[in-house]
Amino acid sequence: MLILDPNNVRAAVMRKSFYRFFLEFWPIISEEELVDNWHIKYLCDKLQEAVEAVARGEKPKHNTIVINVPPGSSKSTICSQMLPAWTWTFMPHGRFICGSYAHDIALKDALKTRDIVQSDLYRSTFPDVELREDANKKGKFVNRKGGSRYACSVEGQVTGEHGHILLIDDPINPEQALSEAGLKGVQRWMEQTLPTRRIRTRNNSAIIIIIQQRLHESDPSGRALEKASETKPVLHLCFPGEIADDSEDSQPKPPEVADYYVDGLFDADRLNKDALQELKEDLGEYGYAGQILQRPVPLSGGLFKVGCLYYADTPPTKWRRLVRSWDKAGTEDAGAWSVGVKMGVDLGGRFWVVDVVRGQWGAYEREENIRSTAERDGTHVELVLEIEGGSGGKESGENTVRNLAGYNVHVYHPTGDKIARATPFASQVGGGNVYLVRGAWTDTYVTELQFFPNSKFKDQVDASSGAFNRIARKKRRVGALRK
C-alpha cells in the first residue's frame, strides 16, 4: 500500500496553483482575515501563466504586464510578497528585482517574502529552498539554488543586478506625478535603466511587471501602454473600483472581466457603494479618478471640463479680436512641442479656438514656421509670444520679434504656475463659452485639455492660456521686448 507524504501532496498542489499557495500562506504575513474576491485568483492565474513561461525559457506572450487596481486589493501581497516565494518552489534559480518609489516600502515587501520562505510551513513543504546564511540581508537575499530577491527604489542603484522577473510596485507617488522633473526621472529609470537589468536568454524570456494606481497620463503604466507593439506586447489588467459610465475609459480590461463585477462594483464587500462614496470625499476628484477608477483625470474632466466645449465646422466671419499665441520649445525632438494657437472672440463675446499649429522643430525651422503662419493669418491677427526667463529665452524672443517685423507682436514673461495661468481660460470652457473649429488638430488638442495638469504635454494649454489672457484684456500694443 502506497502511503503519500502529506507535505509532498501539499507541495504538489501549491506548485500547480499560485492561488492555492496564496491562500495557504496568507496567515503567515497577515493577521487580518482574508476577504477573498474574484480578482485575487484572476491575478494569480495570469501571473502564474507568465512566470511558468519564464521558467520554461519560452518567448513571453507579453514582455510587460501592467496591473492597475485600487488600493487595499492585496496587490502587493500577491505580486511583491508572494510571487517570488511561490516561483522558487519550481524555479529555485529565479532572480527577482523588486522596486517601489520608496526604498522603505521595497524593503517592507522584501521582509514579507523572507518571512514566507523562512516560515515553518514553507520549510517543511519546500525543504529544497533554503536561504544562504551569508547572503541573507533585508535588501537582498539569495537561496542555495542561485535564486535571489533584490529590493530597490525607483531611480535607485541596480548596477550589477539582473533578473528573470523585474517587478515594480507603485513606481511613482502623487507628488512625483505632479512634478515634471520627478516624472521625467521615473520615466528615465523605468525606460532606460530597468530594461537593461533583464537576464538575456535565447528567447528573451524575462518580463517586467508594473503594479500601480494611475496618477498621470504619462506615468509608468501610461508609458508602457503607449509603447506597446506587436514586437513588445503588453498585457493590461485594469480593474477600476466601479464601472462609472459606458465610456471605454471606464471599462475593465480585459473586457471579459466585467462579467465578474456585481452591480458595476469591482469588490462588492470591501468597496461597496458606501465605501466608494467615502473614498470620493477623502481623495477628492483627482485622487478618486486615479486611485479608484484607474483614470488620471476625473469623469467630469480635470481643470478643463471638455464636455462643455462646442464644435463648429466653420468659424465666424466677423471678430472683435483675433490672436495667435506661440509657446516655443527649446530643442528639436526633445519631447516638447512648439505650438501656435489661434484664438478669437466673436461679436457675441464667445471665444473660439480657430487653429493650432504644432511641431517639434529646430530653431531655424521653427522660426520659418512662425513666420509663414503669420503670413497666412494676415496682419490683422495679433501675435503673442511667451518669453522664458534667462538670457537665452530673451535672445530667442528678440530673434522671433525681428523675424516678425511688420506684424503686431506682443511679448510677455509668464508669472505663476501653469495651472494658475490656465484657470481663466478653463473657466470659460466650463461655462460653455468656448467653441472649437473642427480640424486635424482638434482631437489632440482636446485630449491635452482633458488630462491637464496630468497630461503628457502641456504646450497647447500654455499657448491657449497666453492667447486667452491676451484676448480677454484691453488692447495694448507692445512693439519690442521690455528691458
Side-chain angles (χ1 to χ4, degrees):
M1 179 178 176
L2 179 63
I3 300 177
L4 298 177
D5 185 336
N7 284 335
N8 290 340
V9 174
R10 184 188 297 115
V13 170
M14 285 192 280
R15 283 194 188 98
K16 290 182 179 180
S17 173
F18 179 31
Y19 175 64
R20 287 296 299 271
F21 181 94
F22 172 89
L23 296 177
E24 290 282 346
F25 282 93
W26 172 268
I28 299 297
I29 58 174
S30 178
E31 297 179 356
E32 301 291 332
E33 181 181 356
L34 174 64
V35 180
D36 205 353
N37 191 52
W38 64 268
H39 77 281
I40 293 178
K41 185 176 187 304
Y42 191 91
L43 284 178
C44 285
D45 290 349
K46 289 297 181 182
L47 291 169
Q48 175 170 336
E49 180 182 351
V51 172
E52 286 178 343
V54 172
R56 293 191 297 267
E58 297 175 355
K59 184 176 179 62
K61 289 173 61 177
H62 304 95
N63 296 81
T64 301
I65 300 175
V66 172
I67 301 173
N68 301 135
V69 294
S73 302
S74 303
K75 65 177 181 61
S76 295
T77 304
I78 297 168
C79 302
S80 297
Q81 300 169 15
M82 293 271 196
L83 186 62
W86 174 74
T87 300
W88 284 350
T89 68
F90 62 93
M91 185 187 176
H93 64 284
R95 290 157 64 183
F96 283 78
I97 294 176
C98 302
S100 183
Y101 71 88
H103 193 245
D104 287 348
I105 293 176
L107 287 180
K108 182 197 73 172
D109 289 334
L111 289 175
K112 292 287 188 178
T113 301
R114 193 171 68 171
D115 287 345
I116 294 171
V117 175
Q118 292 183 327
S119 69
D120 291 339
L121 176 60
Y122 192 96
R123 296 172 71 178
S124 63
T125 309
F126 308 104
D128 291 340
V129 181
E130 185 179 2
L131 297 184
R132 286 173 43 180
E133 293 182 4
D134 61 341
N136 186 358
K137 298 179 180 179
K138 292 180 181 180
K140 182 179 180 180
F141 42 88
V142 182
N143 67 43
R144 295 190 181 279
K145 298 295 179 72
S148 62
R149 189 194 188 286
Y150 177 76
C152 65
S153 61
V154 171
E155 297 187 82
Q157 183 65 257
V158 287
T159 302
E161 299 294 335
H162 292 83
H164 298 96
I165 298 169
L166 314 181
L167 197 155
I168 309 302
D169 189 350
D170 285 333
I172 190 169
N173 64 24
E175 289 74 23
Q176 288 173 307
L178 291 177
S179 162
E180 187 171 350
L183 187 63
K184 286 185 176 179
V186 171
Q187 290 172 348
R188 187 162 48 246
W189 190 88
M190 292 289 296
E191 296 172 17
Q192 298 180 20
T193 300
L194 186 64
T196 67
R197 301 296 95 194
R198 283 187 173 111
I199 289 176
R200 297 295 175 181
T201 63
R202 182 176 61 186
N203 289 320
N204 290 328
S205 58
I207 59 172
I208 294 176
I209 302 172
I210 301 170
I211 312 108
Q212 68 162 113
Q213 291 93 42
R214 295 301 310 274
L215 296 172
H216 191 282
E217 186 185 10
S218 292
D219 62 22
S221 289
R223 296 279 289 189
L225 295 170
E226 178 187 351
K227 292 175 176 293
S229 64
E230 290 185 6
T231 58
K232 294 183 178 180
V234 173
L235 174 62
H236 190 198
L237 305 177
C238 179
F239 309 145
E242 63 173 322
I243 301 176
D245 59 29
D246 294 331
S247 68
E248 183 179 352
D249 287 346
S250 291
Q251 303 308 305
K253 297 173 182 62
E256 61 266 19
V257 303
D259 294 339
Y260 295 111
Y261 278 60
V262 177
D263 295 329
L265 299 177
F266 159 71
D267 186 340
D269 289 324
R270 289 187 289 186
L271 291 176
N272 56 38
K273 292 186 181 297
D274 289 340
L276 291 175
Q277 181 58 39
E278 185 175 339
L279 284 167
K280 286 179 185 177
E281 296 170 1
D282 291 343
L283 297 173
E285 274 196 315
Y286 275 102
Y288 188 82
Q291 296 183 52
I292 306 301
L293 299 183
Q294 308 312 313
R295 330 165 26 131
V297 65
L299 289 171
S300 60
L303 183 68
F304 289 92
K305 309 301 182 184
V306 297
C308 298
L309 288 166
Y310 289 95
Y311 296 82
D313 293 322
T314 56
T317 57
K318 295 184 178 180
W319 301 96
R320 287 185 185 176
R321 199 172 183 187
L322 278 169
V323 166
R324 171 85 70 174
S325 174
W326 283 95
D327 181 78
K328 301 197 302 181
T331 307
E332 181 179 6
D333 294 329
W337 295 71
S338 292
V339 175
V341 172
K342 185 178 180 181
M343 189 178 294
V345 57
D346 66 19
L347 300 183
R350 293 175 291 267
F351 295 95
W352 290 72
V353 182
V354 181
D355 179 58
V356 176
V357 177
R358 184 171 181 255
Q360 291 177 309
W361 304 309
Y364 177 80
E365 186 181 8
R366 181 189 64 215
E367 296 304 320
E368 287 291 302
N369 276 284
I370 291 175
R371 176 74 189 190
S372 62
T373 301
E375 291 171 352
R376 288 195 304 272
D377 288 342
T379 55
H380 65 288
V381 176
E382 301 173 54
L383 294 173
V384 178
L385 183 65
E386 177 184 327
I387 303 298
E388 297 179 356
S391 58
K394 180 180 178 182
E395 183 179 355
S396 175
E398 290 174 341
N399 290 337
T400 301
V401 171
R402 282 193 294 270
N403 182 44
L404 293 170
Y407 293 89
N408 186 7
V409 183
H410 308 268
V411 298
Y412 73 98
H413 299 276
T415 59
D417 61 28
K418 293 177 183 290
I419 295 176
R421 298 200 302 271
T423 297
F425 180 47
S427 297
Q428 292 298 314
V429 171
N433 199 35
V434 176
Y435 291 70
L436 301 185
V437 179
R438 290 189 179 91
W441 52 271
T442 310
D443 288 347
T444 303
Y445 180 82
V446 172
T447 297
E448 185 172 313
L449 261 62
Q450 179 185 10
F451 283 90
F452 183 84
N454 293 337
S455 51
K456 180 178 180 180
F457 300 109
K458 299 175 176 63
D459 316 281
Q460 294 177 100
V461 172
D462 288 346
S464 298
S465 302
F468 179 82
N469 292 336
R470 182 70 200 179
I471 210 171
R473 66 177 67 169
K474 293 181 180 180
K475 284 190 175 183
R476 184 162 62 95
R477 182 165 182 155
V478 180
L481 286 171
R482 292 181 176 180
K483 301 295 184 183

